[in-house]
Amino acid sequence: MDLYTYYRSTSSYRVRIALALKGLDYQALPVNLIALTGGEHRQAAYLAINPQGRVPALRTDEGALLIQSPAIIEYLEERYPQVPLLPVDLVARAQVRGVAAVVGCDVHPLHNVSVLNRLRQYGHDEAQVVEWISHWIAQGLATVEQLIGDSGFCFGEWPCVADVYLIPQLYAAERFDVSLDGYPKIRRVAALAAEHPAFIKAHPANQPDTPR
Amino acid sequence: MDLYTYYRSTSSYRVRIALALKGLDYQALPVNLIALTGGEHRQAAYLAINPQGRVPALRTDEGALLIQSPAIIEYLEERYPQVPLLPVDLVARAQVRGVAAVVGCDVHPLHNVSVLNRLRQYGHDEAQVVEWISHWIAQGLATVEQLIGDSGFCFGEWPCVADVYLIPQLYAAERFDVSLDGYPKIRRVAALAAEHPAFIKAHPANQPDTPR
């Protein structure tokens, strides 16, 4: 498989975690999103891969091109079920996917770079932009804290799709100085992920396009 | 099943469509989100059902409480597969879920009422708020137009999860006067849904809490 990825992209980071947890090999094809060096995601070569011009995109081993991290993660779960990232019980699956959706729908989209740039166009300075980001992250993490379990990763001993979404969101929280003091369960999950080989492999600090 | 719903909520509307397409009976329990009449979603009685204080929430026929429309829709698909809303082929499933994610992650979260209220707190007037909404809806619909098929609903003869997300988004587009002129495929899907009993049943105009 080929993964079009950017080291600091939250949604690329999710897919990298899912791939690593499942022990799947892939070729990382970095797409440089930074406009100063060209904004490769807006160039024709990449738009032919993903017309939305966003990362991640996954080329499957059969050559199909998939976009949107929620769709890619569900694909990986269905195609490579050997290391499951969703429980078997249908209600438990919905609880895991509910946490993923809080992060993926109610938090991350609000601090996507395109949204932040729009706020800047509307005349907001960096202090206001950071306040905007912090507000949504804190609100989302407070919800996640109420939804996840009392031991292990989000829902017990093994990482699941909820962890796949939460850990990249915590990386964003750290970037924007959002305190995790009020979220002891989330801090517990973060500490476990920090020691877990798959989460370490997927981390933005350890990618081929990470600035050195 | 009990569905906590608000007639005009985009994400409640999605779940209503999925339930109607699958021919599933449920009891609608309206939650009035309008602050003037009390904002029932912020009151203790509802927070005990959904700590996030959002609609929809689904009480399953076994009594479990599920939140977040993406998680509820996947649950319904797994629990009631008789009328499938996802294709069988794994790549085709990812394409359908990709369209759902464009709407559910890249468009709708940006015009959620809490986001619009935040913009108002930041000093933006209604014209700027509407411009904000229109920008994200138009950008998202342009992407969807490139991803969906050339006949029938989004991906052919039968409605699927992509239609479940797209049709409520078009209702929002209409509310905010976003033109569909540039999106002939989307207009085709909208015309089919307007005549389809399940989409009619789920429409905000036809709910128990619709103002008369």
Side-chain angles (χ1 to χ4, degrees), chain A residues 152-168:
Chain A
F153 286 93
C154 283
F155 290 98
E157 193 175 353
W158 306 104
C160 71
V161 164
D163 304 287
V164 164
Y165 279 71
L166 178 60
I167 296 301

Side-chain angles (χ1 to χ4, degrees), chain A residues 126-150:
Chain A
E126 287 311 297
Q128 286 173 310
V129 168
V130 168
E131 187 202 53
W132 169 277
I133 299 167
S134 305
H135 171 78
W136 299 114
I137 294 181
Q139 191 176 85
L141 294 184
T143 296
V144 170
E145 182 76 9
Q146 292 185 271
L147 299 174
I148 64 177
D150 289 322

Side-chain angles (χ1 to χ4, degrees), chain A residues 50-52 54 60 62 64-72 74-75 78-79 86 90-91 93-95 97-99 101-102 104-106 109-110 112 114-115 118-119 122-124 128-129 131-133 135-136 139 143 146-147, chain B residues 50-52 54 60 62 64-72 74-75 78-79 86 90-91 93-95 97-99 101-102 104-106 109-110 112 114-115 118-119 122-124 128-129 131-133 135-136 139 143 146-147:
Chain A
N50 179 357
Q52 200 181 12
R54 296 192 173 195
T60 71
E62 291 93 3
L65 275 164
L66 308 182
I67 67 167
Q68 285 285 338
S69 65
I72 294 171
E74 292 281 350
Y75 168 83
E78 294 177 337
R79 177 73 176 77
L86 286 169
L90 298 191
V91 167
R93 291 165 77 85
Q95 288 166 338
R97 285 183 173 128
V99 170
V102 169
C105 301
D106 294 338
L110 300 172
N112 198 301
S114 59
V115 172
R118 195 85 186 156
L119 287 171
Y122 276 34
H124 295 292
Q128 286 173 310
V129 168
E131 187 202 53
W132 169 277
I133 299 167
H135 171 78
W136 299 114
Q139 191 176 85
T143 296
Q146 292 185 271
L147 299 174
Chain B
N50 180 357
Q52 199 181 13
R54 296 191 174 196
T60 70
E62 292 93 3
L65 276 165
L66 308 183
I67 66 166
Q68 286 285 338
S69 65
I72 294 171
E74 293 280 351
Y75 168 84
E78 293 177 338
R79 177 73 177 75
L86 286 170
L90 299 190
V91 167
R93 291 165 76 85
Q95 287 166 338
R97 287 182 173 127
V99 170
V102 168
C105 302
D106 294 337
L110 299 172
N112 198 301
S114 58
V115 172
R118 195 86 185 155
L119 287 171
Y122 276 33
H124 295 292
Q128 286 173 310
V129 168
E131 187 200 53
W132 170 277
I133 298 167
H135 172 78
W136 300 114
Q139 192 176 83
T143 296
Q146 292 185 270
L147 298 175

